[in-house]
């Protein structure tokens, strides 16, 4: 190739001659670079052929080429062409060459057409991975760009593993993804996904960053984590993103998309990884920037710009114009950003890279700023606009800010910086809001000039008109309550004489009454230690003081109430102990052994109303009663005593059990308390002649019978709890006890747990009783059962009625 250069003797000016020399030198350098790039591509293709044929690594393939060249006395490039020539000779000589490049929409994989008998045609072999990889390697010699590689991979892998589409992404210097090659993807979808900002949830970007394949095999789960390509995304239910191997930082990834659902089997995963590795050298060669592109800012330059912006103290960005098909600028993309750059959504620095200007500042379109950007790109003149107001919407309400913007052209891009003028005004508003919400205000006293400055909130705290001006430090004690004047005055004098800081409460009188204030100030001194300036703040702590007084009164009331409750508990406990003496040993009544256990609750300050009776009646029968009065404290103990003694009296006089319950019910319904007390009760009379037990209940839990190694609860006769309703009906039941039987009467504290069904507690009681009987704890069954409830929240009362075995 020759280049026409103006000869020195044709009368051209020195300036033209100098320019011609520069052009000639640049053209020579471009030719050299093109030669280097072409040689590198040939070398990488030859290495790929050896890797596929022999299964060796890239370094080993390079060493083998060098060894062959030295043995034959040829150059490395000659040996590479020999290796590639052997591939073409092995192909069918009747297959025509690829011919001119086809349009992108009609592009076929490089080499012979798919379906021909050549190495790149026909269905893939089924006898292992190496034939498929060899076919890819052979056809790579004909690949001219990433699009050729994508078509080749899809053609070879389509029938073998069901690959329907291939996408190749390369990471730009700004961190975004650029679609550099694709196959099996329509143009509309390719345009939509041609540029992907560095967002989270991008599988290709994650694969490149982690240097590890990402396998997407569950569309539902994958859609929750990743941005899925496709319209609809379910078009490809299984995908694989495999990074292109690189000795340095990974910069590219290949995506394999399948319409076939389900996971990739191990063999397919191995094949796809090796195929990407085989194409890696050529993809890296294609991915090198073209330094000779006139007027363009190459990725390396973008990276340099980003490094410069990283050290700037103000906001600045690098913008790339995005043009329509007619060449008109539709928007700008941010390719680099300084750390202090921020948009209306709060994104900062590199979070802006890849986003569009109309996405970050949506209302600048059509403004003078927008026109200034276009003029700078067209003419190269620096744009410095007048300060303008920009309205942005944040947190649901509009905010106005004032900006000055400067834009300069860099190649085909813009470097834009700006200054925000209203930052100080916003900080003043924030300070005022903070003082108002905290009910405090700042103040300053310049002692050498007698100048005093108060913030607006201090005037509000003192309920003082701003026209009256602030109050001097020495005058301040005269404006407080007389009781606080001496203490505050002494503190102010120490501050003015010695510079001692002040943090002191005091009170003032306002139109709303007495206010409790706090002053916190410190002094600045000169070289001799004399105070020259005092600054600090006043705070209105009236609400806090009122809350402290209310809390103190509440604590005093709580302590008083606690003392009363403790006294009531002590009295109730003494009454309960007097009314319900617990025997130290088992009772013997009517030929029965009766164990008794009454355990108070572990928590609370009140005594409950659980009670029992176990006495012998005049006819030598035995009366057994277990009851539970609702509530706690003295009232419950009083009701318990009333029921206990009334039931014993009526039973001794011969009243029937159901009559006893009916009269006790009427007794509670006609007490003076409002509302009336309620209670549950189970009562039984045992006649020793026939070991017959007649019993009745009023809303109480059923007795538990232990007989012959089994436990069952007795069927319950009708009976509503006492004090619940007028004219309640009570019925009785009869059971004949056998030698060895045990009958447990108990209150609900033995079985109930908060939030648990009562049936679970009853089952637990039956199991525990049988287990204790089997372990030989039958002598102290009642006390053992009550003692196992270590964290009982209610009183427990248990009667263990035991029929001795016959001698």
């Amino acid at each position: 190739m020759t280049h026409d250069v103006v000869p020195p003797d044709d009368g051209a000016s020195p300036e033209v001659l100098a320019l011609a020399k520069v052009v000639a030198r640049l053209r020579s350098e471009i030719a050299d670079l093109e030669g280097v790039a072409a040689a590198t591509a040939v070398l990488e293709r030859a290495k790929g052929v050896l890797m596929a044929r022999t299964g060796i690594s890239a370094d080993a393939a390079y060493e083998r080429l060098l060894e062959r060249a030295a043995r034959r006395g040829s150059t490395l490039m000659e040996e590479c062409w020999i290796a590639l020539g052997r591939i073409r000779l092995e192909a069918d000589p009747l297959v025509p060459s690829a011919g001119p490049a086809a349009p992108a929409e009609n592009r076929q994989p490089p080499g012979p057409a798919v379906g021909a008998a050549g190495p790149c045609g026909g269905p893939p072999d089924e006898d292992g991975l190496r034939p498929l990889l060899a076919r890819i390697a052979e056809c790579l010699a004909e690949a001219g760009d990433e699009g050729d590689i994508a078509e080749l991979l899809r053609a070879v892998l389509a029938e073998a593993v069901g690959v329907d589409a291939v996408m190749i992404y390369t990471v730009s210097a700004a961190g975004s993804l650029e679609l550099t090659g694709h196959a099996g993807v329509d143009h509309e979808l390719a345009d939509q996904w041609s540029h992907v900002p560095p967002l989270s949830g991008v599988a290709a970007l994650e694969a490149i960053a982690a240097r590890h394949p990402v396998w997407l095999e569950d569309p539902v789960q994958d859609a929750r984590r990743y941005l899925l390509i496709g319209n609809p995304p379910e078009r490809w239910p299984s995908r694989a993103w495999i990074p292109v191997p690189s000795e340095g930082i990974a910069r590219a990834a290949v995506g394999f998309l399948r319409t076939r659902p389900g996971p990739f089997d191990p063999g397919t995963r191995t094949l796809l990884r090796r195929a990407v590795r085989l194409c890696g050298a050529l993809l890296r060669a294609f991915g090198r920037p073209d330094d000779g592109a006139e007027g363009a800012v190459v990725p390396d330059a973008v990276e340099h710009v980003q490094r410069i912006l990283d050290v700037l103290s103000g906001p600045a960005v690098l913008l790339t114009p995005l043009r329509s098909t007619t060449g008109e600028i539709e928007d700008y993309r941010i390719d680099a950003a300084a750390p202090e750059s921020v948009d209306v959504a709060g994104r900062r620095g590199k979070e802006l890279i890849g986003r569009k200007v109309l996405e970050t500042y949506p209302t600048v379109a059509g403004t003078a700023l927008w026109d200034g950007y276009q003029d700078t790109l067209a003419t190269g003149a620096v744009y410095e606009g007048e300060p303008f107001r920009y309205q942005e919407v944040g947190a649901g309400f509009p905010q106005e800010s004032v900006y000055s913007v400067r834009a300069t052209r860099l190649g085909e891009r813009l470097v834009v910086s700006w200054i925000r003028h209203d930052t100080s005004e916003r900080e003043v508003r924030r300070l005022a809001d903070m003082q108002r919400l905290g009910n405090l205000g700042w103040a300053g006293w310049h002692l050498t000039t007698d100048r005093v400055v108060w913030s607006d909130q201090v005037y509000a705290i003192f309920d003082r008109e701003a026209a009256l001006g602030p109050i001097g430090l020495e005058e301040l004690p005269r404006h407080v309550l007389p009781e606080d004047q001496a203490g505050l005055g002494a503190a102010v004098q120490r501050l003015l004489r010695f510079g001692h800081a002040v943090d002191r409460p005091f009170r003032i009188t306002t139109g709303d009454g007495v206010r409790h204030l706090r002053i916190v100030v410190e002094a600045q001194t000169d070289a001799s230690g004399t105070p020259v300036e005092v600054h600090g703040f006043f705070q209105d702590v009236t609400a806090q003081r009122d809350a402290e007084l209310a809390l103190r009164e509440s604590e005093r009331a709580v302590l008083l109430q606690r003392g009363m409750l403790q006294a009531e508990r002590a009295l109730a406990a003494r009454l309960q102990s007097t009314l319900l003496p617990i025997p130290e040993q088992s009772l013997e009544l009517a030929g029965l052994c009766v164990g008794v256990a009454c355990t108070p609750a572990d928590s609370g300050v009140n005594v409950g109303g659980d009670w029992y009776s176990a006495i012998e009646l005049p006819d030598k029968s035995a009366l057994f009663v277990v009851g539970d009065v609702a509530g706690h404290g003295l009232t419950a103990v009083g009701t318990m005593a009333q029921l206990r003694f009334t039931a014993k009296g009526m039973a001794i006089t011969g009243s029937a059990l159901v009559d006893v319950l009916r009269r006790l019910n009427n007794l509670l319904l006609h007490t003076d308390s409002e509302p009336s007390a309620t209670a549950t009760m189970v009562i039984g009379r045992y006649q020793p002649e026939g070991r017959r037990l007649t019993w009745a209940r009023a809303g109480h839990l059923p007795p538990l019978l232990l007989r012959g190694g089994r436990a069952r609860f007795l069927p319950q006769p009708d009976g509503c709890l006492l004090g619940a309703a007028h004219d309640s009906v009570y019925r009785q039941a009869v059971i004949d006890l056998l030698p060895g039987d045990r009958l447990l009467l108990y209150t609900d504290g033995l079985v109930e747990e908060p939030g648990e069904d009562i049936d679970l507690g009853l089952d637990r009681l039956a199991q525990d009783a049988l287990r204790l009987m089997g372990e030989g704890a039958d002598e102290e069954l009642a006390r053992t059962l009550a003692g196992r409830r270590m964290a009982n929240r209610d009183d427990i009362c248990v009667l263990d009625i035991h029929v001795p075995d016959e001698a």
Side-chain angles (χ1 to χ4, degrees):
M1 180 181 294
T2 61
H3 303 286
D4 294 332
V5 180
V6 178
D9 57 349
D10 66 349
S13 65
E15 292 81 1
V16 173
L17 292 175
L19 181 60
K21 292 180 180 179
V22 172
V23 172
R25 179 174 54 83
L26 291 177
R27 286 177 173 173
S28 176
E29 291 177 356
I30 292 173
D32 292 341
L33 290 175
E34 289 175 347
V36 171
T40 302
V42 172
L43 174 61
E44 296 296 339
R45 292 172 184 172
K47 287 167 56 178
V49 169
L50 291 180
M51 291 168 60
R53 289 191 164 221
T54 61
I56 60 178
S57 66
D59 292 340
Y62 181 71
E63 294 295 333
R64 181 167 296 185
L65 288 171
L66 288 177
E67 180 184 358
R68 289 180 179 178
R71 188 170 61 248
R72 290 193 177 98
S74 60
T75 64
L76 176 62
M77 192 55 52
E78 290 173 344
E79 189 61 36
C80 292
W81 284 115
I82 292 173
L84 295 175
R86 289 177 178 174
I87 298 174
R88 296 185 178 90
L89 291 176
E90 293 172 1
D92 189 346
L94 299 179
V95 178
S97 60
E105 60 270 19
N106 299 322
R107 174 176 289 167
Q108 297 294 329
V114 177
C120 300
D125 297 333
E126 297 294 336
D127 55 350
L129 303 181
R130 182 166 295 181
L132 292 173
L133 295 175
R135 293 165 65 189
I136 294 174
E138 293 169 2
C139 294
L140 281 176
E142 301 294 336
D145 57 16
E146 290 92 336
D148 289 341
I149 295 178
E151 289 284 358
L152 169 62
L153 291 174
R154 184 178 71 90
V156 174
L157 301 177
E159 187 173 349
V161 294
V163 172
D164 301 286
V166 177
M167 303 181 76
I168 301 176
Y169 275 107
T170 303
V171 179
S172 68
S176 59
L177 288 178
E178 304 295 337
L179 183 61
T180 55
H182 63 87
V185 178
D186 56 75
H187 287 292
E188 181 180 355
L189 189 62
D191 291 341
Q192 179 183 353
W193 291 89
S194 62
H195 175 82
V196 182
L199 305 174
S200 60
V202 178
L205 200 59
E206 180 179 311
I208 294 172
R211 302 175 69 93
H212 193 276
V214 175
W215 308 96
L216 306 183
E217 301 164 330
D218 187 340
V220 177
Q221 295 296 328
D222 296 335
R224 298 175 181 174
R225 180 178 178 185
Y226 297 102
L227 300 173
L228 298 182
I229 297 173
N231 188 16
E234 297 80 9
R235 174 181 175 184
W236 294 297
S238 61
R239 313 152 186 251
W241 291 98
I242 303 177
V244 177
S246 175
E247 296 179 358
I249 300 175
R251 306 296 297 177
V254 180
F256 298 95
L257 294 76
R258 305 193 307 179
T259 57
R260 176 192 305 176
F264 293 86
D265 58 72
T268 300
R269 293 192 176 195
T270 301
L271 174 61
L272 297 183
R273 284 195 296 264
R274 292 184 180 178
V276 172
R277 178 184 174 189
L278 187 61
C279 301
L282 201 54
L283 287 173
R284 290 192 296 272
F286 290 152
R288 295 191 181 99
D290 184 6
D291 296 334
E294 183 179 355
V297 180
V298 297
D300 286 344
V302 173
E303 187 172 350
H304 292 324
V305 172
Q306 180 62 60
R307 291 177 182 176
I308 294 173
L309 296 183
D310 284 340
V311 299
L312 290 184
S313 59
V317 294
L318 177 67
L319 302 182
T320 299
L322 303 177
R323 301 180 183 272
S324 65
T325 55
T326 61
E328 297 179 357
I329 296 177
E330 296 180 330
D331 203 343
Y332 296 86
R333 186 181 67 240
I334 301 175
D335 283 343
E340 293 188 15
S341 305
V342 61
D343 69 354
V344 294
R347 294 180 286 254
R348 287 184 173 274
K350 293 185 178 180
E351 294 178 344
L352 299 173
I353 295 176
R355 301 189 180 276
K356 299 177 181 179
V357 168
L358 296 184
E359 178 185 351
T360 56
Y361 288 94
T363 61
V364 300
T367 63
L369 175 64
W370 194 262
D371 296 337
Y373 285 175
Q374 293 185 350
D375 291 341
T376 300
L377 281 174
T379 64
V382 176
Y383 169 77
E384 292 191 59
E386 296 292 330
F388 71 97
R389 291 188 177 275
Y390 174 78
Q391 186 178 75
E392 58 193 44
V393 177
F397 56 91
Q399 297 179 355
E400 282 194 352
S401 302
V402 180
Y403 293 92
S404 291
V405 179
R406 189 175 191 272
T408 59
R409 189 174 71 181
L410 179 63
E412 295 299 324
R413 291 175 168 87
L414 290 176
V415 177
V416 179
S417 61
W418 63 91
I419 299 175
R420 189 170 185 170
H421 298 286
D422 58 339
T423 303
S424 59
E425 297 177 8
R426 179 170 295 182
E427 294 301 325
V428 169
R429 291 198 301 270
R430 289 177 178 175
L431 179 60
D433 291 340
M434 181 183 68
Q435 293 182 82
R436 177 178 53 83
L437 295 174
N439 210 359
L440 56 85
W442 60 268
W445 294 266
H446 299 270
L447 305 182
T448 57
T449 61
D450 292 332
R451 180 170 176 264
V452 183
V453 181
W454 275 8
S455 68
D456 293 340
Q457 191 64 25
V458 178
Y459 288 100
I461 290 173
F462 277 83
D463 195 20
R464 182 180 177 86
E465 292 292 337
L468 298 176
I471 300 174
L473 272 177
E474 295 181 342
E475 301 175 7
L476 184 61
R478 295 197 295 269
H479 291 77
V480 306
L481 293 184
E483 296 85 349
D484 299 335
Q485 287 180 357
L488 182 59
V492 170
Q493 290 303 316
R494 289 193 298 271
L495 171 70
L496 296 177
R497 291 182 181 180
F498 310 109
H500 294 171
V502 177
D503 185 351
R504 187 177 184 85
F506 63 93
R507 294 168 293 173
I508 62 173
T509 302
T510 67
D512 298 331
V514 176
R515 287 186 181 178
H516 295 263
L517 306 184
R518 176 190 178 200
I519 180 175
V520 179
V521 291
E522 62 181 6
Q524 290 183 348
T525 60
D526 57 14
S528 63
T530 303
V532 295
E533 183 179 341
V534 174
H535 59 268
F537 66 87
F538 293 99
Q539 185 177 17
D540 186 351
V541 294
T542 304
Q544 179 181 347
R545 181 65 176 173
D546 292 344
E548 291 176 354
L549 292 176
L551 180 59
R552 190 175 303 168
E553 291 298 326
S554 177
E555 290 177 348
R556 184 181 295 111
V558 169
L559 291 175
L560 179 60
Q561 182 69 17
R562 180 180 297 175
M564 295 175 60
L565 290 175
Q566 289 177 344
E568 181 181 338
R569 174 180 172 82
L571 177 59
R574 293 179 61 185
L575 287 175
Q576 188 184 51
S577 178
T578 302
L579 296 172
L580 285 177
I582 307 302
E584 295 182 358
Q585 297 179 350
S586 300
L587 300 173
E588 292 187 3
L589 297 174
L592 301 174
C593 292
V594 182
V596 181
C598 285
T599 305
D602 290 339
S603 60
V605 297
N606 291 319
V607 176
D610 290 20
W611 56 281
Y612 79 95
S613 285
I615 61 174
E616 187 174 294
L617 299 177
D619 60 357
K620 302 304 180 178
S621 63
L623 177 70
F624 301 104
V625 185
V626 170
D628 184 0
V629 177
H632 296 81
L634 289 175
T635 302
V637 173
T639 303
M640 176 266 288
Q642 189 179 29
L643 293 177
R644 182 171 186 266
F645 291 116
T646 302
K648 288 173 60 176
M650 287 190 293
I652 290 174
T653 58
S655 298
L657 300 184
V658 293
D659 292 337
V660 173
L661 294 179
R662 185 169 59 254
R663 291 172 184 172
L664 291 178
N665 180 60
N666 293 332
L667 176 65
L668 291 185
L669 289 173
H670 292 85
T671 56
D672 295 333
S673 60
E674 187 65 34
S676 63
T678 59
T680 65
M681 191 171 103
V682 59
I683 182 171
R685 177 182 287 121
Y686 175 75
Q687 296 172 337
E689 292 82 4
R691 300 194 189 93
R692 173 161 294 183
L693 177 71
T694 304
W695 66 286
R697 59 178 282 275
H700 206 80
L701 295 173
L704 176 62
L705 176 65
L706 303 175
R707 172 181 292 175
R710 300 180 62 185
R712 67 182 179 92
F713 292 96
L714 299 184
Q716 302 184 78
D718 295 338
C720 181
L721 78 161
L722 304 176
H726 293 277
D727 301 327
S728 295
V729 177
Y730 300 95
R731 303 187 186 280
Q732 65 184 23
V734 177
I735 181 174
D736 293 331
L737 300 179
L738 302 177
D741 284 353
R742 304 184 86 101
L743 190 68
L744 295 181
L745 308 180
Y746 52 91
T747 57
D748 56 5
L750 187 64
V751 295
E752 284 188 341
E753 285 287 349
E756 182 183 77
D757 188 82
I758 189 63
D759 290 336
L760 296 178
L762 293 174
D763 293 340
R764 184 169 52 247
L765 172 62
Q767 295 172 7
D768 290 346
L770 287 177
R771 184 168 55 254
L772 291 173
M773 292 286 293
E775 295 173 355
D778 53 330
E779 296 298 330
E780 298 289 337
L781 182 60
R783 290 188 175 89
T784 305
L785 286 172
R788 292 173 70 89
R789 303 288 292 164
M790 299 300 295
N792 52 298
R793 298 172 177 84
D794 196 3
D795 294 347
I796 296 174
C797 190
V798 184
L799 285 184
D800 172 24
I801 303 171
H802 178 206
V803 181
D805 294 327
E806 292 180 347

